[in-house]
Amino acid sequence: MGTNLIAFGGGGGVAVGGGVRVSTATPWAVRAELPKAPDLSVDRSILRSGSSSSRRHDLVFVVNPSSANGRTGKEWKKLLPYLRSRLGADCNICESLTSGPSHAIDITREAIREGADAVIAVGGDGTLHEVVNGFFWAGKTVTNYDRDATHSTALGLLPLGTGSDFARTFGWKNDPHEAIDRIAKGQRSQIDVGVISGEDGEPHYFANVADIHLSAKAGFHASSYKRFGNLCYVIGSLKAFAGHRNQDLKIKVNEGEWEVYSQVTALCVGNAKYFGGGMKITPNADPRSGNFEVVILQGFKWYDFILKLHKLYNGMHLTMKNVSSRSVHSIEVEDISGSGSIYVQSDGEHLGFLPRKFCILPSAIEMIC
């Protein structure tokens, strides 16, 4: 039996196997917090799992063709022949191209409900971030329509985007062929996921690093310069420094008492180690530990980042007197001034402003490692 190729295109249909198209008319900008998930009209006969141990595995590759200024889409097309030759004998390869913000979230949810063995994010940390959010719905994990199914859907990563910071924590090279070989082996490991809640109570999930104030503002600006590759983080930082002022923050750790941290430059909540194009900001974080590492930078001036940037990249900044680190399973952060202008982001996604609460969900997702 040949490989089944499904193209969940956002532009108007699903191409199955030999070119049959099924209309989807999927809206491309449906937000994750809407009360009803969109119907992607996937042919359920393709993603229907059987009970036999010898059944073919359904792998859904969620591709952001616009990632890395369009390079991801081009590289993905070049990889398809190798992907089919390496996986086609044992797997139904399902290709799903995203067409706009949050589309990867919707695709992931429907793939899990239809019983996919794995959903693989193809792109950068932004695509991975959306796919991770697709594993959850209304504060709960998404489950298979078939309640008798004996397998769960795993998360996979094929890094092709501007940034691949999450992959660095596992020591993975930015090599798509190596990633495909890893997917072919199919070894799974449970990883933690962070969940962020705000005043409206709507949860948001992250796999890598969430951050507050200067670094989050830099990430917000960097998103406008992705066409420059990793240089976008430098440009974003320069723009963030314009008018930046350190702020006093109020912090509650592990449901304890409120503490005041003065002149905070940035606060980072790490489920993994790297962000910002290779900066080892939370060097002791491990997505399999059941805890975050929280790193707080206080009283930094613009020239501190120039003089000490190498320490931030190699993880040696924890030795500096104005940097503190602690292991936590939850942390609440508020802006004492009440200005409502302290930026919050996770995995490069702008989430608004303080206050926010961050909690760890231990072993929340199985990942192909």
Side-chain angles (χ1 to χ4, degrees):
M1 180 177 177
T3 299
N4 290 319
L5 181 63
I6 308 178
F8 298 90
V14 176
V16 183
V20 178
R21 296 189 65 81
V22 181
S23 177
T24 60
T26 304
W28 65 267
V30 178
R31 296 302 303 177
E33 62 267 19
L34 291 180
K36 183 178 180 180
D39 180 9
L40 298 187
S41 302
V42 178
D43 184 343
R44 297 190 181 188
S45 66
I46 300 297
L47 290 181
R48 180 64 62 206
S49 57
S51 59
S52 172
S53 60
S54 61
R55 68 178 178 83
R56 289 165 62 84
H57 299 285
D58 299 310
L59 305 182
V60 178
F61 290 81
V62 182
V63 185
N64 179 1
S66 300
S67 177
N69 201 28
R71 292 195 306 274
T72 295
K74 296 175 183 177
E75 290 297 318
W76 169 247
K77 290 179 181 178
K78 295 177 183 178
L79 279 173
L80 272 174
Y82 179 74
L83 182 72
R84 290 172 180 144
S85 65
R86 187 72 175 84
L87 302 176
D90 301 314
C91 302
N92 295 319
I93 299 171
C94 311
E95 176 196 37
S96 184
L97 304 180
T98 65
S99 57
S102 299
H103 196 187
I105 297 175
D106 302 326
I107 293 167
T108 300
R109 287 182 179 146
E110 193 65 12
I112 294 171
R113 289 171 177 143
E114 295 295 345
D117 288 86
V119 179
I120 294 97
V122 181
D125 291 317
T127 304
L128 176 66
H129 179 78
E130 285 204 5
V131 169
V132 166
N133 273 269
F135 275 75
F136 302 90
W137 172 260
K140 298 180 181 179
T141 55
V142 179
T143 57
N144 193 332
Y145 282 132
D146 182 1
R147 296 185 179 182
D148 296 326
T150 58
H151 72 280
S152 61
T153 301
L155 168 69
L157 175 61
L158 204 167
L160 287 179
T162 303
S164 299
D165 284 315
F166 185 75
R168 287 185 173 96
T169 292
F170 292 90
W172 296 338
K173 298 176 182 177
N174 199 19
D175 181 349
H177 292 87
E178 181 182 276
I180 291 170
D181 291 342
R182 183 167 55 248
I183 293 165
K185 292 177 183 176
Q187 295 181 348
R188 297 184 177 197
S189 177
Q190 291 183 322
I191 65 165
D192 308 330
V193 171
V195 57
I196 306 170
S197 55
E199 293 180 311
D200 59 4
E202 292 291 345
H204 194 93
Y205 302 88
F206 68 100
N208 195 42
V209 178
D211 52 308
I212 293 168
H213 205 17
L214 179 63
S215 54
K217 189 176 181 181
F220 174 78
H221 289 302
S223 63
S224 300
Y225 298 94
K226 287 292 183 72
R227 63 187 180 278
F228 296 113
N230 281 339
L231 186 61
C232 70
Y233 301 112
V234 177
I235 299 172
S237 297
L238 292 173
K239 293 200 70 170
F241 268 118
H244 169 77
R245 302 179 72 176
N246 296 329
Q247 296 284 347
D248 297 342
L249 299 181
K250 190 166 64 171
I251 296 169
K252 181 192 288 188
V253 170
N254 298 340
E255 307 296 339
E257 299 296 324
W258 285 102
E259 308 170 50
V260 174
Y261 279 73
S262 63
Q263 294 298 293
V264 174
T265 307
L267 185 152
C268 300
V269 182
N271 186 47
K273 301 179 188 297
Y274 297 88
F275 80 160
M279 189 179 293
K280 199 174 184 180
I281 191 65
T282 47
N284 298 313
D286 182 345
R288 293 165 289 196
S289 68
N291 286 290
F292 296 127
E293 181 183 25
V294 173
V295 171
I296 304 175
L297 282 62
Q298 295 173 266
F300 270 59
K301 309 296 184 185
W302 67 268
Y303 52 79
D304 288 319
F305 286 92
I306 295 175
L307 296 174
K308 301 165 184 177
L309 189 62
H310 65 287
K311 289 190 175 183
L312 290 167
Y313 271 91
N314 62 26
M316 296 301 294
H317 55 290
L318 299 188
T319 62
M320 298 163 59
K321 64 179 181 180
N322 54 344
V323 178
S324 59
S325 170
R326 61 201 299 181
S327 178
V328 312
H329 56 75
S330 73
I331 179 170
E332 296 178 60
V333 186
E334 294 186 2
D335 171 16
I336 290 178
S337 71
S339 66
S341 61
I342 306 297
Y343 283 70
V344 179
Q345 74 167 6
S346 64
D347 298 350
E349 176 81 9
H350 176 62
L351 300 182
F353 306 92
L354 289 179
R356 287 291 188 274
K357 181 176 182 179
F358 307 79
C359 296
I360 197 82
L361 301 178
S363 304
I365 292 177
E366 279 193 315
M367 185 163 190
I368 299 173
C369 295

